[in-house]
Amino acid sequence: MENELVRVEGSVSAVVFQNPENGYTVLRLKDEQGELTTAVGIVPDTRAGERLRVEGRWTSHSTYGRQLEIVTLERLMPESRIEILAYLSSHAIRGVGPKIAARIVERFGAEALKVIEHEPEKLAQVPGISESKAREIHESFQSQQGLRQLAEFLGSYRLPAELAVRIYKAYGELSMMAIQDNPYFLTEEGFNAPFAQVDAFALELGFDGDDERRVDAGVLYELSFNSAGGHVFVPEPQLVDAASAFLRLDREIIREGLRRLAEQERVVIDEIASLTAVYLPAYGEAERWLTRRFLDMVRGKVGLPANLAKTVAQIEARQEIEYAELQREAIFAAASEKLLIVTGGPGTGKTTTLRGILDLFEQMRLKTFLTAPTGRAAKRLTELTGRDASTIHRLLEVDVSPEDGEMVFVHNEHNLLSCDAVIVDETSMVDLLLMYDLVRALPETCRLILVGDPDQLPSVGAGNLFSDLIRSQKIPTVRLTEIFRQARESLIVMNAHRVNRGELPELREKKKDFFFLQRSGDEAVCQTVTELCARRLPQNMGIAPEEIQVLSPTRKGETGTRNLNRLLQEALNPAADGKREKKYGEIVFREGDRVMQIRNNYDIIWNKVGESGMGSGIFNGDVGAVRAIDYQAQTMTIRFDDREAVYTWDMLSQLEPAYAMTVHKSQGSEYRAVVLAAWRGTPLLLSRSILYTAITRARELLIIVGDEGVVEYMVRNDKKQKRFSGLKWRLCHS
């Protein structure tokens, strides 16, 4: 049976591939009968000649046949002279190559590894090995043994073996001691092990349920969990109740843990309005610092440039346009304010206003950077303005800290950006910490223009920053409200405004850019969506499938993105001879597929397509196409616009198909055509803001496929998930 566990024991005859960062390995294992097995899994720092006892499940590979996916692993050091020679010759030990390996084995035979581990001084008897080199060989061997033992130890407790590499990098030979002293550090950033797994591990090691280390880690986990849900802080009573419930401890024990964490400055406790707010330190610092800096910027107005009215008139003449009153107000405000918000719905002239501000800044000789939170939003900004725009991450430049290996931005308060103004588009998508990082890197004299639509969905990260800034009424804000004549001719634009006002969109009027197709069941919805993308829109309207984006409020269910992606892949990129594919979990990746990165990865190296140049970092929401799958190298090459990146098999969890995506994931993007599946689902996801955001993603054509009652429900459902954030309160009370 394919799912049954199979045990294989043998020596490693070859290491086909190994990722040193996480230990993912493809190897050939030779058993005592001389039969070769291809095994894949987490085997940190394995070498030819090493003996392994593995348990795993057979999987089928289209090129290399059956492979054993490793579930458990036991290391058995080489025993015979041949195995020991192969192991030492593989450069497993620093300072030992094939020649030295041969001399060591010739001198000590099958006892060679015991000599290296327990009697290293004897190595100096081997020609070419000095006493200092003997010590170096011994230390290197000990280090390798430590990593292997650590991986085995974690595996025996069902913890991911790839954790061993990260732990050993941080603690070296003290790794085992660190884990046994406090395994809960594995839940912290940089290790990111699931709390439930670590907790079970710690309890098996003998930790008490009310151990201070468990309590502290549990409270911090609860705060992190809530920040992932958008909350900047958690009110103390709710935090105590939640931590008490999942740790199964008395509330007073949790309160003691909170007091302890506050004394250690691992949490920050503040009074926000009538709430006692508990923050993780990074969020508390960001909120307080941004409040001070934003208010300083508001107070720090700059003088109006000479002949401003004349300059703006010249810009109008050059662009062959006459600004509306509010557009003109925004452009004049940009000339005098250090901090300005420009907001408005679709068709209200945000892009025209933004171009006017850019032209004005050029006339004022201000060095201006254009930026947006995602790659797709930055690309769209470049297309709309004709000027280079970058993501905020690329503007700040990502690097790795030499102290702890964590991601850091090159530009910060110690290395400011060289600019006079920064304009941020799609600001509703920017979370609290990213704005903090950006503003810290701005010179004191720099202007900051924030552009966006607060009625769209809030940022994925913690905070409700753009809305908080506007609602505080402390930041100069120009809200564009006039819908221009050309935009009024678009049913997409007019229906977006209807939805935003809580009115039903016009579904029966047949205009060229907005259609509603009533369907009576989820199967019919899926069939229609697939037909639109594969046949009807390409054949009848000349819209290529790659210009169509299918959206759904949800991932789950028949009309969720998971199932829609499967159906669309079958229709748009079916399996074919010569077309390579890789199965990963329940997903089949195929050459030609449209895929999306689903989390920030600052370490992925990419190369410019068609020109020299490289960089690092692929970010959450970046969409690309599978260009090639290499079975031998166990890699997949993805092209993201003008960049190509190579993913190893173990990195595929960071990708998912992108023929269909959730409305949340589509934020900041604009597509020639959008097909929205509107069917029954979780009430929280069938909301007005979801529908409004989906409609505003379409540039030329929007088709809603589903049930009119669901559309009506979404319009009526204006409940917004409350996010705990103190920024608005701080701005109003500072």
Side-chain angles (χ1 to χ4, degrees):
M1 297 291 290
E2 288 292 305
N3 285 327
E4 285 185 356
L5 283 176
V6 176
R7 175 178 289 188
V8 176
E9 182 177 324
S11 62
V12 177
S13 65
V15 177
V16 179
F17 170 81
Q18 188 163 71
N19 185 331
E21 292 300 314
N22 56 25
Y24 181 82
T25 304
V26 180
L27 56 84
R28 310 278 194 226
L29 200 60
K30 182 187 288 187
D31 65 17
E32 291 181 358
Q33 287 72 42
E35 292 188 14
L36 284 175
T37 298
T38 299
V40 297
I42 304 299
V43 192
D45 203 57
T46 193
R47 303 287 176 158
E50 185 177 10
R51 291 185 61 78
L52 302 177
R53 183 182 294 135
V54 302
E55 284 190 340
R57 293 185 175 89
W58 291 113
T59 61
S60 181
H61 194 287
S62 56
T63 297
Y64 297 101
R66 290 207 306 170
Q67 293 184 333
L68 193 67
E69 288 197 355
I70 297 170
V71 176
T72 64
L73 164 73
E74 184 180 351
R75 305 241 187 196
L76 309 168
M77 289 308 294
E79 295 176 350
S80 70
R81 290 172 63 103
I82 293 175
E83 289 174 348
I84 293 171
L85 178 60
Y87 173 70
L88 293 177
S89 298
S90 67
H91 298 279
I93 299 175
R94 187 171 60 252
V96 178
K99 288 183 180 180
I100 294 293
R103 293 173 191 166
I104 292 174
V105 174
E106 184 180 352
R107 176 71 178 80
F108 300 109
E111 301 295 307
L113 295 181
K114 292 181 181 177
V115 170
I116 291 173
E117 184 173 10
H118 301 295
E119 301 176 282
E121 67 278 359
K122 288 185 177 180
L123 292 173
Q125 300 171 12
V126 176
I129 299 181
S130 64
E131 290 184 6
S132 62
K133 187 165 187 175
R135 286 193 298 272
E136 180 185 341
I137 292 171
H138 168 72
E139 290 169 1
S140 176
F141 182 77
Q142 291 286 80
S143 174
Q144 300 302 329
Q145 288 294 93
L147 176 58
R148 294 184 177 111
Q149 290 168 3
L150 182 63
E152 279 186 48
F153 177 70
L154 294 176
S156 69
Y157 284 95
R158 299 169 300 283
L159 284 168
E162 60 263 33
L163 272 175
V165 179
R166 292 179 230 158
I167 297 167
Y168 208 82
K169 279 185 177 180
Y171 292 97
E173 294 179 7
L174 300 176
S175 295
M176 198 72 76
M177 187 185 302
I179 291 175
Q180 291 171 335
D181 178 61
N182 182 14
Y184 290 100
F185 79 82
L186 297 176
T187 63
E188 296 173 3
E189 192 172 352
F191 301 102
N192 303 315
F195 184 88
Q197 283 186 338
V198 174
D199 195 37
F201 168 56
L203 294 174
E204 281 190 62
L205 287 181
F207 278 67
D208 293 330
D210 60 355
D211 188 288
E212 290 183 1
R213 290 161 292 187
R214 180 174 187 258
V215 175
D216 294 354
V219 171
L220 293 173
Y221 167 78
E222 186 65 30
L223 282 171
S224 296
F225 179 81
N226 277 276
S227 69
H231 300 292
V232 178
F233 67 81
V234 179
E236 183 180 16
Q238 290 174 237
L239 177 61
V240 169
D241 287 347
S244 171
F246 90 82
L247 291 175
R248 299 179 182 177
L249 292 172
D250 185 79
R251 287 176 175 78
E252 186 52 40
I253 294 176
I254 304 299
R255 292 189 189 97
E256 288 175 10
L258 259 180
R259 288 192 287 269
R260 187 166 54 246
L261 288 168
E263 289 172 3
Q264 298 169 358
E265 298 183 344
R266 297 170 70 191
V267 301
V268 173
I269 300 178
D270 261 348
E271 295 299 319
I272 301 294
S274 58
L275 298 175
T276 299
V278 185
Y279 292 82
L280 289 169
Y283 292 102
E285 164 64 17
E287 204 172 79
R288 288 193 303 268
W289 189 90
L290 279 174
T291 299
R292 293 193 301 269
R293 182 66 183 270
F294 282 151
L295 292 176
D296 286 345
M297 293 176 79
V298 170
R299 290 188 283 264
K301 294 180 184 292
V302 291
L304 283 171
N307 303 316
L308 177 58
K310 181 180 178 182
T311 301
V312 173
Q314 291 171 344
I315 293 171
E316 286 180 300
R318 190 162 53 251
Q319 292 189 356
E320 297 181 345
I321 192 173
E322 183 177 347
Y323 294 125
E325 181 181 347
L326 287 171
Q327 289 178 312
R328 187 183 302 275
E329 180 184 333
I331 295 170
F332 271 69
S336 61
E337 302 286 355
K338 285 183 69 175
L339 177 61
L340 175 68
I341 292 172
V342 179
T343 183
T348 58
K350 288 197 303 292
T351 300
T352 300
T353 305
L354 196 154
R355 287 198 200 104
I357 292 172
L358 278 169
D359 278 358
L360 175 63
F361 284 178
E362 283 183 4
Q363 294 298 313
M364 296 170 64
R365 305 200 175 194
L366 300 179
K367 183 179 180 181
T368 304
F369 288 144
L370 271 177
T371 189
T374 68
R376 287 175 293 159
K379 182 182 177 184
R380 177 168 168 260
L381 187 56
T382 296
E383 294 167 350
L384 291 173
T385 63
R387 294 167 171 87
D388 287 339
S390 71
T391 64
I392 297 173
H393 289 86
R394 296 202 192 289
L395 179 64
L396 297 177
E397 297 181 52
V398 176
D399 201 357
V400 176
S401 168
E403 287 82 22
D404 54 16
E406 293 297 309
M407 184 282 298
V408 293
F409 287 120
V410 172
H411 293 288
N412 51 41
E413 66 269 35
H414 305 298
N415 182 26
L416 300 174
L417 291 165
S418 176
C419 60
D420 303 301
V422 170
I423 299 176
V424 183
D425 196 19
E426 297 288 355
T427 310
S428 63
M429 298 176 64
V430 181
D431 62 47
L432 180 77
L433 292 185
L434 186 56
M435 182 61 74
Y436 172 63
D437 286 323
L438 173 62
V439 178
R440 278 197 309 159
L442 301 184
E444 286 290 330
T445 56
C446 186
R447 303 161 192 252
L448 179 62
I449 312 294
L450 305 176
V451 183
D453 184 349
D455 296 316
Q456 290 187 23
L457 295 168
S459 60
V460 174
N464 206 5
L465 182 131
F466 196 49
S467 178
D468 282 352
L469 292 178
I470 294 170
R471 289 185 300 114
S472 75
Q473 299 184 9
K474 295 294 183 179
I475 312 299
T477 300
V478 178
R479 182 184 287 273
L480 304 174
T481 56
E482 179 183 348
I483 305 174
F484 291 94
R485 180 182 58 79
Q486 185 176 358
R488 287 199 300 272
E489 295 174 0
S490 166
L491 200 54
I492 292 174
V493 171
M494 298 312 293
N495 273 339
H497 284 279
R498 287 189 183 103
V499 168
N500 206 26
R501 293 193 299 266
E503 302 170 8
L504 291 177
E506 177 52 64
L507 300 180
R508 286 173 174 70
E509 184 178 344
K510 300 299 182 184
K511 278 198 174 182
K512 63 180 181 179
D513 70 343
F514 190 108
F515 297 91
F516 173 74
L517 303 179
Q518 174 74 34
R519 292 296 181 265
S520 57
D522 48 23
E523 187 176 341
V525 171
C526 292
Q527 182 179 348
T528 301
V529 168
T530 304
E531 287 178 355
L532 285 167
C533 297
R535 183 173 55 82
R536 291 166 63 175
L537 293 184
Q539 292 178 8
N540 300 338
M541 302 189 71
I543 301 176
E546 57 267 23
E547 296 180 298
I548 305 166
Q549 184 59 59
V550 174
L551 300 180
S552 173
T554 180
R555 294 171 58 85
K556 300 177 181 178
E558 290 299 306
T559 60
T561 58
R562 287 177 183 166
N563 188 53
L564 287 171
N565 269 312
R566 183 180 60 80
L567 297 173
L568 290 165
Q569 183 191 47
E570 290 175 6
L572 299 174
N573 190 31
D577 290 341
K579 187 184 290 185
R580 296 185 172 196
E581 58 184 49
K582 164 64 181 172
K583 189 172 189 298
Y584 188 86
E586 297 181 358
I587 299 173
V588 175
F589 292 105
R590 189 172 294 145
E591 289 177 336
D593 275 343
R594 189 191 308 176
V595 294
M596 176 171 54
Q597 177 79 11
I598 58 173
R599 62 164 114 23
N600 290 339
N601 187 327
Y602 305 96
D603 300 324
I604 296 179
I605 303 298
W606 49 260
N607 292 285
K608 279 279 190 180
V609 176
E611 59 182 282
S612 61
M614 61 187 298
S616 66
I618 302 294
F619 302 111
N620 186 8
D622 285 353
V623 173
V626 179
R627 305 296 294 175
I629 294 175
D630 188 326
Y631 292 135
Q632 186 168 0
Q634 306 268 321
T635 60
M636 197 158 77
T637 301
I638 315 292
R639 177 175 292 185
F640 298 92
D641 296 324
D642 61 345
R643 298 166 292 143
E644 275 192 354
V646 177
Y647 287 65
T648 52
W649 278 181
D650 61 298
M651 298 164 63
L652 298 186
S653 63
Q654 302 177 38
L655 294 169
E656 65 180 28
Y659 297 104
M661 66 177 67
T662 62
V663 177
H664 279 91
K665 287 290 188 183
S666 73
Q667 282 180 273
S669 298
E670 189 177 71
Y671 309 97
R672 183 180 177 190
V674 167
V675 177
L676 173 65
W679 194 245
R680 301 179 185 96
T682 305
L684 182 65
L685 296 174
L686 298 179
S687 68
R688 183 186 300 175
S689 59
I690 291 275
L691 181 59
Y692 175 74
T693 301
I695 293 172
T696 56
R697 299 308 91 204
R699 184 171 66 250
E700 295 181 19
L701 176 67
L702 175 75
I703 301 177
I704 299 179
V705 182
D707 183 72
E708 187 172 347
V710 172
V711 176
E712 181 177 350
Y713 179 86
M714 294 178 80
V715 173
R716 304 293 183 217
N717 181 17
D718 194 30
K719 293 180 181 177
K720 294 182 173 66
Q721 183 182 11
K722 182 179 179 182
R723 290 187 168 194
F724 291 112
S725 164
L727 183 60
K728 173 179 174 288
W729 186 88
R730 291 180 191 274
L731 287 167
C732 293
H733 293 84
S734 295

